[in-house]
Amino acid sequence: MKALLVLLALWATVEAEMVRIPLQRIESMRERLIKKGEWRKIEENRSSKLFTGSQIGYDYTDTEYIGLVNIGTPAQTFRVILDTGSADLWIPDSSCGGIPGCQDYCNHMPPVDCPSFCNATACCPYSLLYKGPAVRAQQDPCDSKNRFQSSKSSTYVKDGTSFSIQYGTGSAIGFLGKDLICLGNSSVCNTQQFGQATKIADFFANQPLDGIFGMGWPTLSVTKTTPLLFNLMPKLDQPIFTVYLDERGPSAQGAPASLFTYGAFDSVNCNSQISYVPLSAQTYWQFPIQGVSAGTFTRQKTYQVISDTGTSLIGAPQDVSDGIAQALGATYDPWMGAYKLPCGSTPADILLTINGNTFKINYKQYFIMLGNECVVGIFPMSSGGFGPSWILGDPWIRAYCNVYDMKNARIGFAQAKHSQ
């Protein structure tokens, strides 16, 4: 797939603004675990109550696209998952993990050697020059992250209220603070409450991101905080944001790709015709579909689904995912935890019926290469009888730009433009 260069653009008016934030594609944790044959273990450990109460029901390590937020004065920059499947913003606090500003190896170097390679006063608390605590047995997940140093921000206000957010693969625990937060390097900013994590799950350790930027509805917030985008609505040209995900293929690792546009419709990367559907719940970006088909498989049934930028595949009830995979000629590989097809295949379109209209997802959007294997980008899931039964993740958004209308409680779909 030919790459499409995405440039940062900013339009500003006297009283309202629109901003576009370029994203980077990263290999998702799901991709890495499937390659190793370890994803099935994660699936088996998922809670059957993922959609109950205030628990966030998504595996955020599936994300493939991250963006930037700036927090504090002067700004401290953090790489975050831009996630429509949650509603809280958190980043690691300076108290999480090892010593901020010191290389990770300083935390594990033998005490006698540390002063030769690191700053003995600041970074060698375990050296012979400093009688500190014992060396930690292993690296903390926060050690590789950018961490917020509140003492360096002149606009920071401490709240101190504790929070704990549980995800399908781990948690983030810490306290709340308040500071100036900006979308990327734009002037679209707001003083906002956010989470400062003092402990994060091991599952986040090896991912090139710092925290999570939730873009769901206020009622979804675990911390009972109005999400940043909803607070920013009066400052935007329009109370919407548009998500476009480019097609880059397996070779894309950290290259600029795709775009979140705040305050306007992305007419550059998306066709002008938008098909809107009212939301069926103002928690996730949830709406109904009336049926699905692929090849010889057809199922005419109303399902509750969500649009989720934080999931790299499409989740569907197992009878549906099995039926689609069989119709496409794919077979389930229990070692990988995925439906496999020979690379080079051109399987049929997956068709969704939404609000009386048919939407096609081409194999270019859902057929994914993982190492030397190729899989259909759909996985079986169970809502446990609670909440939505489908997750329309990145393959869906690669096919159709999703337009999230915060004021009118609706979501729109426009054909995405790709170079081929």
Side-chain angles (χ1 to χ4, degrees):
M1 289 174 243
K2 189 177 180 181
L4 176 65
L5 181 62
V6 179
L7 300 177
L8 173 66
L10 171 64
W11 286 263
T13 64
V14 174
E15 296 183 356
E17 295 196 44
M18 179 272 286
V19 61
R20 296 183 173 193
I21 306 298
L23 305 179
Q24 292 181 324
R25 185 190 188 280
I26 61 173
E27 182 181 53
S28 70
M29 183 64 79
R30 178 191 291 274
E31 290 176 300
R32 291 196 289 273
L33 291 177
I34 286 178
K35 288 178 183 178
K36 295 178 181 179
E38 298 176 358
W39 178 251
R40 186 181 180 187
K41 299 176 185 177
I42 299 297
E43 287 286 294
E44 292 173 348
N45 290 332
R46 284 174 178 244
S47 168
S48 62
K49 297 182 179 180
L50 287 180
F51 295 98
T52 63
S54 62
Q55 185 178 23
I56 305 302
Y58 303 101
D59 187 325
Y60 296 103
T61 54
D62 278 350
T63 189
E64 296 182 55
Y65 300 90
I66 62 175
L68 302 177
V69 294
N70 289 323
I71 303 178
T73 306
Q76 299 175 44
T77 302
F78 301 91
R79 295 157 56 93
V80 292
I81 301 171
L82 300 174
D83 178 43
T84 58
S86 68
D88 293 288
L89 168 61
W90 63 264
I91 44 86
D93 183 68
S94 59
S95 60
C96 187
I99 304 172
C102 298
Q103 298 93 332
D104 291 338
Y105 58 76
C106 297
N107 293 314
H108 312 283
M109 186 171 291
V112 67
D113 296 327
C114 186
S116 299
F117 297 93
C118 306
N119 183 320
T121 302
C123 299
C124 297
Y126 317 122
S127 74
L128 297 177
L129 304 179
Y130 179 83
K131 303 299 182 180
V135 177
R136 286 176 290 132
Q138 61 183 21
Q139 181 181 359
D140 187 278
C142 274
D143 287 352
S144 61
K145 309 300 181 185
N146 294 308
R147 287 166 281 180
F148 181 66
Q149 300 186 57
S150 58
S151 62
K152 294 186 177 182
S153 173
S154 62
T155 49
Y156 174 77
V157 177
K158 184 174 182 178
D159 180 300
T161 303
S162 61
F163 78 89
S164 177
I165 302 178
Q166 181 70 41
Y167 300 101
T169 52
S171 61
I173 300 170
F175 59 92
L176 301 180
K178 182 180 291 187
D179 210 332
L180 183 67
I181 300 177
C182 299
L183 298 177
N185 294 319
S186 76
S187 58
V188 179
C189 308
N190 196 70
T191 298
Q192 175 77 25
Q193 199 171 46
F194 66 102
Q196 297 168 242
T198 56
K199 183 176 180 58
I200 61 176
D202 291 341
F203 205 76
F204 294 119
N206 297 317
Q207 299 186 67
L209 54 92
D210 302 314
I212 293 175
F213 174 22
M215 306 164 77
W217 286 76
T219 51
L220 193 61
S221 171
V222 174
T223 62
K224 308 304 179 185
T225 300
T226 300
L228 176 61
L229 286 181
F230 285 84
N231 277 330
L232 283 172
M233 269 201 298
K235 297 185 178 182
L236 301 176
D237 282 345
Q238 301 178 57
I240 67 173
F241 60 97
T242 307
V243 179
Y244 163 80
L245 303 183
D246 196 9
E247 298 172 359
R248 291 301 185 100
S251 63
Q253 295 295 326
S258 309
L259 209 62
F260 276 52
T261 301
Y262 302 100
F265 174 69
D266 182 359
S267 59
V268 175
N269 296 303
C270 313
N271 286 337
S272 59
Q273 185 175 352
I274 308 173
S275 178
Y276 281 102
V277 58
L279 297 181
S280 52
Q282 294 180 31
T283 50
Y284 307 105
W285 289 92
Q286 180 176 322
F287 57 96
I289 64 173
Q290 289 75 45
V292 58
S293 64
T296 58
F297 175 81
T298 299
R299 179 66 54 83
Q300 299 302 316
K301 179 180 177 180
T302 297
Y303 296 94
Q304 291 297 315
V305 307
I306 64 171
S307 168
D308 183 20
T309 57
T311 300
S312 62
L313 305 181
I314 293 175
Q318 183 157 0
D319 62 327
V320 175
S321 64
D322 286 346
I324 291 174
Q326 183 177 1
L328 297 177
T331 56
Y332 186 75
D333 185 326
W335 187 84
M336 294 182 68
Y339 300 101
K340 291 173 55 178
L341 267 176
C343 295
S345 300
T346 56
D349 294 337
I350 298 175
L351 308 178
L352 298 179
T353 302
I354 304 174
N355 207 23
N357 299 314
T358 300
F359 294 84
K360 297 190 301 183
I361 309 175
N362 187 264
Y363 76 92
K364 292 181 180 180
Q365 283 93 46
Y366 73 75
F367 195 38
I368 301 170
M369 179 179 287
L370 300 175
N372 296 322
E373 303 282 1
C374 291
V375 302
V376 174
I378 188 169
F379 67 94
M381 58 171 280
S382 173
S383 65
F386 301 93
S389 53
W390 281 67
I391 299 174
L392 294 181
D394 293 345
W396 163 250
I397 305 172
R398 280 192 288 270
Y400 295 92
C401 297
N402 280 215
V403 184
Y404 303 85
D405 189 332
M406 296 177 284
K407 181 178 180 180
N408 298 305
R410 61 179 183 170
I411 186 168
F413 313 112
Q415 187 81 42
K417 299 176 184 178
H418 297 288
S419 54
Q420 65 179 46

